[in-house]
Amino acid sequence: MSNVYDKAHELSSALKDSDEFQKLKDLHVEVENDEVAKRMLDNFRNIQIELQQMQMQGQQPSEEEITQAQKQFEMVQQHEVISKLMAEEQRLSTVISDINKIVTEPLEEIYGTPEDNKSE
Amino acid sequence: MSNVYDKAHELSSALKDSDEFQKLKDLHVEVENDEVAKRMLDNFRNIQIELQQMQMQGQQPSEEEITQAQKQFEMVQQHEVISKLMAEEQRLSTVISDINKIVTEPLEEIYGTPEDNKSE
Ligand SMILES: [Ca+2]
Ligand SMILES: [Ca+2]
């Protein structure tokens, strides 16, 4: 397994050295150093977490809570740095999801693809 | 990002070429070709899935269901090939969890470690 761990570390370094990662890191620092932007983003994230927790508990958010979340979403979308940060986070999240698919592909040889299992 | 994807494929190949993966693959084929072993393992997995689903829905399994699950668990533990397969699956699952930690480590530079966030 030592080669597997070596390759995992090499992948980790490649991710760290990528332009996309560095850009995300810079944008994050930029938001952290901007008090107004930081508060806006924290607010938005807290609302998102609350809505997710309600959803997991099978609760329905009130109309007011939905309106509030939409307003916060529009605000962060209109903020240049935050909207760039969120777009970059989305991009990196896709890359990490791709990585997971690539790395665990060998397991499909054993257990089949999700597609195979569907037709079983 | 092309280097990231190259490295992900190299990691995937290293995993596929590892002795541990090949051993798991062979054990899986051995169980698939043994009708009694296959039925025993399928049974055990179905019971596990049922218990997990009950747990997610906040339901308590009956005493009979718990006894049944324990009996099935003892049976697969005593089956040489199945117990080897399950040990090998556990080993690979640990490796994949390690890989995930290593690969997503750069994100800690941005968002902090779980430990950092606890003390916030
Ligand atoms: Ca190496
Ligand atoms: Ca390469």
Side-chain angles (χ1 to χ4, degrees), chain A residues 7, chain B residues 3 6-7 10:
Chain A
K7 287 296 171 190
Chain B
N3 198 31
D6 282 348
K7 287 296 172 191
E10 286 176 28

Side-chain angles (χ1 to χ4, degrees), chain A residues 1 4-5 7 10-12 16 18 20-21 25 28 89 92 98 100 102-103 106-107 109-111, chain B residues 1 4-5 7 10-12 16 18 20-21 25 28 89 92 98 100 102 106-107 109-111:
Chain A
M1 275 297 166
V4 169
Y5 284 97
K7 287 296 171 190
E10 286 176 27
L11 170 55
S12 189
K16 194 171 162 176
S18 69
E20 286 84 349
F21 179 79
K25 198 175 154 185
H28 192 260
E89 282 180 340
L92 208 69
D98 287 346
N100 279 329
I102 293 167
V103 172
L107 297 178
E109 252 187 63
I110 297 179
Y111 300 105
Chain B
M1 275 296 167
V4 169
Y5 284 97
K7 287 296 172 191
E10 286 176 28
L11 169 55
S12 188
K16 194 171 161 176
S18 68
E20 286 84 348
F21 178 79
K25 200 175 153 187
H28 192 260
E89 282 180 341
L92 208 68
D98 288 345
N100 280 329
I102 293 166
L107 297 177
E109 252 187 64
I110 298 179
Y111 301 104

Side-chain angles (χ1 to χ4, degrees), chain A residues 47-59:
Chain A
I47 289 173
Q48 277 196 312
I49 290 168
E50 266 173 53
L51 289 179
Q52 274 168 13
Q53 282 172 344
M54 288 183 80
Q55 206 174 15
M56 283 193 303
Q57 289 162 10
Q59 289 171 359

Side-chain angles (χ1 to χ4, degrees), chain A:
Chain A
M1 275 297 166
S2 77
N3 198 32
V4 169
Y5 284 97
D6 282 349
K7 287 296 171 190
H9 283 290
E10 286 176 27
L11 170 55
S12 189
S13 297
L15 191 65
K16 194 171 162 176
D17 293 342
S18 69
D19 292 342
E20 286 84 349
F21 179 79
Q22 291 303 325
K23 206 168 149 193
L24 176 60
K25 198 175 154 185
D26 292 344
L27 286 165
H28 192 260
V29 169
E30 206 174 329
V31 171
E32 287 290 312
N33 291 335
D34 179 337
E35 218 177 293
V36 174
K38 186 171 165 23
R39 205 180 320 130
M40 203 186 282
L41 185 59
D42 282 349
N43 246 324
F44 175 67
R45 292 214 157 126
N46 286 337
I47 289 173
Q48 277 196 312
I49 290 168
E50 266 173 53
L51 289 179
Q52 274 168 13
Q53 282 172 344
M54 288 183 80
Q55 206 174 15
M56 283 193 303
Q57 289 162 10
Q59 289 171 359
Q60 189 67 27
S62 68
E63 256 180 71
E64 203 194 313
E65 283 165 317
I66 294 171
T67 310
Q68 186 67 10
Q70 281 168 340
K71 244 173 67 186
Q72 286 286 338
F73 182 67
E74 280 162 28
M75 272 175 74
V76 295
Q77 283 291 326
Q78 278 159 22
H79 192 289
E80 202 190 331
V81 184
I82 299 181
S83 66
K84 272 188 197 165
L85 174 73
M86 281 170 46
E88 213 55 54
E89 282 180 340
Q90 189 50 55
R91 200 165 301 161
L92 208 69
S93 153
T94 304
V95 171
I96 286 170
S97 152
D98 287 346
I99 289 175
N100 279 329
K101 267 184 239 151
I102 293 167
V103 172
T104 57
E105 218 176 53
L107 297 178
E108 291 181 4
E109 252 187 63
I110 297 179
Y111 300 105
T113 62
E115 202 46 52
D116 292 341
N117 292 328
K118 229 187 280 170
S119 59
E120 247 176 34

Side-chain angles (χ1 to χ4, degrees), chain B residues 51-99:
Chain B
L51 289 179
Q52 274 168 13
Q53 283 172 342
M54 288 183 80
Q55 205 173 15
M56 284 193 302
Q57 290 162 10
Q59 290 171 359
Q60 188 69 28
S62 68
E63 255 181 72
E64 202 193 314
E65 283 164 319
I66 294 171
T67 310
Q68 187 68 10
Q70 281 169 339
K71 243 172 68 185
Q72 286 287 337
F73 182 67
E74 280 162 29
M75 271 175 76
V76 295
Q77 284 290 326
Q78 277 159 21
H79 191 289
E80 201 190 332
V81 183
I82 299 181
S83 65
K84 274 189 197 165
L85 174 73
M86 282 169 47
E88 214 54 54
E89 282 180 341
Q90 189 50 55
R91 200 165 300 161
L92 208 68
S93 153
T94 303
V95 171
I96 286 171
S97 153
D98 288 345
I99 290 175

